[in-house]
Amino acid sequence: MLAASVPSQAQLATMLTPVEIDAPKPRVAAPARQRASAITDRRLAPRTAAQVAVTSGTGGNSPGFNTAQLPVSAASEKNVGGAEVNARPLSRPAEALEVAPGLIITQHSGDGKANQYFLRGVNLDHGTDLAITVDGMPVNMRTHGHGQGYADMNFLIPELISVVNVRKGPYFADEGDFSSVGAIHVSLIDSVARTMASITSGSFGYNRAFGVTSGKAGDGNLLVAAETNIYNGPWDHPDKLKKLNAVVRYSQGTPDSGFSLTGMAYANRWNSTDQVPLRAITSGQIGLYGALDPTDGGNAERFSISGRYRDSDATGATKVDFYAIKSKLNLWNNFTFFLSDPVNGDQFHQHDDRVLGGINASHTFRGTVGGFRTETEVGVQSRYDNISVSLGNTVQRQYLSGTRSDLVMQGSAGFFVQNTTWWTDWLRSHVGWRGDYYNATVNSLLLAANSGTANATIGSPKAGLVFGPFARTELFINAGEGFHSNDARGVTIRESPSDGSPVESSPFLVKTRGAEVGLRTKLVPGLTSSIALFTLESASEILFVGDAGDTEASRPSRRVGFEWTNDYKPTSWLSLEADLAMTRARFRGSNADQAAAYAELDGYPASQIGNAPGHFIPGAPNMIASAGIRLGEARGWFGALRYRYFGPRPLTEDAAFISPATGLLNGQIGYRFDNGWRVQLDAFNILDSRSDQITYAYGSLLKTDSLFAACFSAGGGAPTAPAAVCQTGIMDRILHPVEPLALRLTVAGAF
């Protein structure tokens, strides 16, 4: 049983002092076939993660397992310890996930809203094809008021991260909805060696306080942590963000035979400076950090209980995760300004209030077949959401009229089986299959025609081979099918909520297919390098719709690209990293033969085909790169620099609008004292870039536009502009700027 003094990886990063943990005793190296199966749960259990030896940004080490040595099934799979996560300068909680190579996390609105994600040439909006879990709980929300797969990470306290498991592609049988592009699983710590507290204060009214403590409670450990944060930002109309977070966690047993029970509470409210048209800035109507509707903003809350159970012996292992979550979100946005309503403006309110629960359970059977060592995992995954979701028109957050109001009950059940067989010391195979069943009942309160029930099933085969190691190098080959779900309201819709015209419904489940070939090598001492070539096809792309602030199902797509990842630690005081991801993303086929393309993947209805002439996928990045350096030992001075590059993206299907590239340099310098105290200065956007944090292109209308007068005569006369032009507005680059140079000073101590 672990002692109460087991420190977290987060402690190593935040306090950065030498600590000792009750780690497993060193073991004699096992034969390759046994060694490869020593850890069956690659998405690490919290206490296992607390024992993972990870080098901190300053070179401090702790004994135990090393995340870099954990077995992986694909060249792009990666495990990152909490110390490494927290050694990076983080301007917002979700940036902790950028330890996933090639992932960009940004924001187009207030910091209380879910972030925008980009990975493998996909604009994932707020999480459409990136499955995220925290402590076994799904973060992605289906049939959500602001977009399918909405994944708000603001409830995460980065210091509590134990390990981050990164997977990419539809190659894993235990990954379901939203995981076609990737899946990120965050495990949390169970305990800390000493009570810790920190205070951070910085530019633009940023203030944060954090504390965590743990101790023995009966036969287990009790951990309590809390965080409070306020922030105005550089905006002309301050965000006035106010956030509270709390975590209580009880754990008992060992990584293989034990359990944990965790409670979380989160509340946040904020104002938003949303994206604005470039012409509003260049004309001088507003400044770079100005807002066209200062009443935009929102509030959110989340409460959860989650549990984990593990049991293991020589013949098998059992895993059970369960959760219950209550969440609520209110958002007020105005993306098109006066395009639809010349008097009151186009602000709208999105409301989502839900209770969801689920359980994931599996058992792994260990044995031999025909003399070959095998492990076969059989599992079930279930989830149920009870949702109240609505969309309405507002002015200055005051209700004007309703567009949609729905009560949705949505459930799903999945079954999976995956087998790993070690054929030789240099060859192992992975074969799996999963089946999913989805059901939803939609009660449309404003338009009964859009009520209904929907059902769908889908099967997804998976396969992979791992060759090696040869000269400390492994070759990975992976292929598989996956899926993502569409908003249940779009599946049962029959009539347009605005004018009652017939509307074609969307398929409930959309198939994806992917493949990957990659190499991972440790041939050079201290260097771990991997390269992966991948392709991903989707039967329906999910795109952002500017005038609705939402997403919609679109045309089939194909992506081909590569990722090159390098982590180098030549000495105890120096760490280097460099990642490069490049992708070619296109819609598949011409508009003339889109029907055949839809039919190729599960008979997607031909009536969904758009009329746009281009093949470019709006918002799809073709290049993402990053590089970083960290210096320092466990005591004394330490520092870090990290640069990330977000390449240009086509903003329309004909690439008539292209976003600028964005390069950001962040840094960190500090000093760790012998008594466990630490002083640290973080700097964000050191080069003071004035580029876009995120960019779109769509039609909007301002009262200062000449088209406004042509469409809406002040005297009530007939419009002088064509109706189609008035409905479309003025196409423009719509942007949310990068925040300017900001400094944040942290003082942290252990007690």
Side-chain angles (χ1 to χ4, degrees), residues 310-373:
R310 298 291 184 267
D311 189 27
S312 178
D313 58 30
T315 62
T318 299
K319 301 184 294 184
V320 179
D321 297 283
F322 63 88
Y323 56 87
I325 304 170
K326 171 69 170 70
S327 72
K328 183 164 68 174
L329 175 71
N330 288 292
L331 279 178
W332 289 269
N333 292 302
N334 187 344
F335 295 143
T336 54
F337 314 108
F338 292 94
L339 180 63
S340 300
D341 188 334
V343 177
N344 298 302
D346 298 349
Q347 188 185 74
F348 56 91
H349 172 223
Q350 293 168 315
H351 172 77
D352 189 282
D353 190 354
R354 72 178 63 207
V355 176
L356 65 139
I359 184 169
N360 303 324
S362 71
H363 185 79
T364 299
F365 300 89
R366 298 167 180 159
T368 60
V369 176
F372 298 102
R373 183 180 181 87

Side-chain angles (χ1 to χ4, degrees), residues 469-492:
F470 303 106
R472 298 175 60 82
T473 301
E474 290 181 299
L475 169 66
F476 300 84
I477 302 175
N478 301 89
E481 294 184 348
F483 72 97
H484 66 238
S485 63
N486 279 326
D487 192 310
R489 294 171 295 173
V491 180
T492 64

Side-chain angles (χ1 to χ4, degrees), residues 19-31:
V19 294
E20 295 182 354
I21 70 174
D22 185 9
K25 297 296 186 287
R27 299 176 179 176
V28 177

Side-chain angles (χ1 to χ4, degrees), residues 164-494:
V164 177
N165 170 254
V166 179
R167 292 171 160 184
K168 298 174 186 175
Y171 322 129
F172 307 91
D174 55 345
E175 304 289 358
D177 200 3
F178 305 120
S179 64
S180 293
V181 176
I184 298 179
H185 304 285
V186 180
S187 297
L188 304 180
I189 62 175
D190 285 334
S191 62
V192 293
R194 303 165 68 184
T195 296
M196 298 181 292
S198 67
I199 296 177
T200 303
S201 186
S203 306
F204 312 118
Y206 184 93
N207 290 282
R208 178 180 184 261
F210 162 74
V212 60
T213 188
S214 69
K216 292 291 291 184
D219 293 330
N221 294 306
L222 180 66
L223 178 142
V224 178
E227 170 198 42
T228 181
N229 183 206
I230 60 174
Y231 184 49
N232 287 327
W235 319 110
D236 295 347
H237 300 276
D239 274 1
K240 295 184 178 179
L241 179 142
K242 296 180 180 179
K243 180 174 75 170
L244 293 172
N245 258 329
V247 176
V248 178
R249 182 178 181 89
Y250 179 79
S251 59
Q252 189 177 122
T254 68
D256 295 324
S257 298
F259 71 91
S260 68
L261 187 65
T262 305
M264 294 184 175
Y266 158 76
N268 202 349
R269 65 180 184 181
W270 65 94
N271 296 328
S272 296
T273 295
D274 281 333
Q275 66 247 30
V276 296
L278 178 62
R279 64 185 184 278
I281 298 173
T282 56
S283 68
Q285 181 178 352
I286 60 172
L288 181 62
Y289 306 109
L292 290 171
D293 193 335
T295 65
D296 289 350
N299 56 70
E301 60 185 44
R302 180 190 182 279
F303 304 93
S304 66
I305 295 176
S306 62
R308 300 172 61 93
Y309 170 80
R310 298 291 184 267
D311 189 27
S312 178
D313 58 30
T315 62
T318 299
K319 301 184 294 184
V320 179
D321 297 283
F322 63 88
Y323 56 87
I325 304 170
K326 171 69 170 70
S327 72
K328 183 164 68 174
L329 175 71
N330 288 292
L331 279 178
W332 289 269
N333 292 302
N334 187 344
F335 295 143
T336 54
F337 314 108
F338 292 94
L339 180 63
S340 300
D341 188 334
V343 177
N344 298 302
D346 298 349
Q347 188 185 74
F348 56 91
H349 172 223
Q350 293 168 315
H351 172 77
D352 189 282
D353 190 354
R354 72 178 63 207
V355 176
L356 65 139
I359 184 169
N360 303 324
S362 71
H363 185 79
T364 299
F365 300 89
R366 298 167 180 159
T368 60
V369 176
F372 298 102
R373 183 180 181 87
T374 68
E375 290 187 356
T376 301
E377 184 180 10
V378 179
V380 293
Q381 300 171 341
S382 64
R383 173 175 168 177
Y384 177 80
D385 294 59
N386 193 321
I387 313 163
S388 173
V389 58
S390 63
L391 172 67
N393 300 308
T394 57
V395 57
Q396 298 181 1
R397 301 196 188 187
Q398 300 302 307
Y399 177 83
L400 286 177
S401 61
T403 303
R404 284 206 66 152
S405 181
D406 301 90
L407 301 177
V408 182
M409 293 178 289
Q410 183 169 343
S412 63
F415 167 82
F416 72 88
V417 57
Q418 53 187 0
N419 169 268
T420 301
T421 299
W422 287 262
W423 302 99
T424 70
D425 288 346
W426 53 266
L427 173 63
R428 69 182 187 268
S429 64
H430 305 278
V431 179
W433 183 87
R434 73 173 291 128
D436 288 272
Y437 169 76
Y438 273 61
N439 175 273
T441 299
V442 178
N443 181 7
S444 180
L445 303 179
L446 300 183
L447 187 57
N450 288 333
S451 298
T453 300
N455 300 275
T457 59
I458 195 168
S460 306
K462 326 277 185 175
L465 292 172
V466 183
F467 298 88
F470 303 106
R472 298 175 60 82
T473 301
E474 290 181 299
L475 169 66
F476 300 84
I477 302 175
N478 301 89
E481 294 184 348
F483 72 97
H484 66 238
S485 63
N486 279 326
D487 192 310
R489 294 171 295 173
V491 180
T492 64
I493 193 171
R494 296 294 179 268

Side-chain angles (χ1 to χ4, degrees), residues 9 12 21 23-27 35 38-39 41-42 44 47-56 59-72 77-84 162-165 472 520 522 526-528 567-569 571-572 575 630:
Q9 298 303 317
L12 296 176
I21 70 174
K25 297 296 186 287
R27 299 176 179 176
R35 188 167 61 246
I39 300 176
D41 186 1
R42 295 178 179 88
L44 299 180
R47 197 172 288 99
T48 304
Q51 295 174 329
V52 173
V54 184
T55 302
S56 74
N61 291 300
S62 61
F65 295 115
N66 191 310
T67 52
Q69 297 174 350
L70 294 171
V72 295
E77 187 176 2
K78 187 176 184 180
N79 296 291
V80 184
E84 183 177 343
S162 173
V163 71
V164 177
N165 170 254
R472 298 175 60 82
R520 174 172 295 185
K522 298 180 182 179
L527 173 65
T528 299
D567 296 286
Y568 185 42
K569 189 171 181 59
T571 70
S572 63
S575 296
R630 289 179 292 180

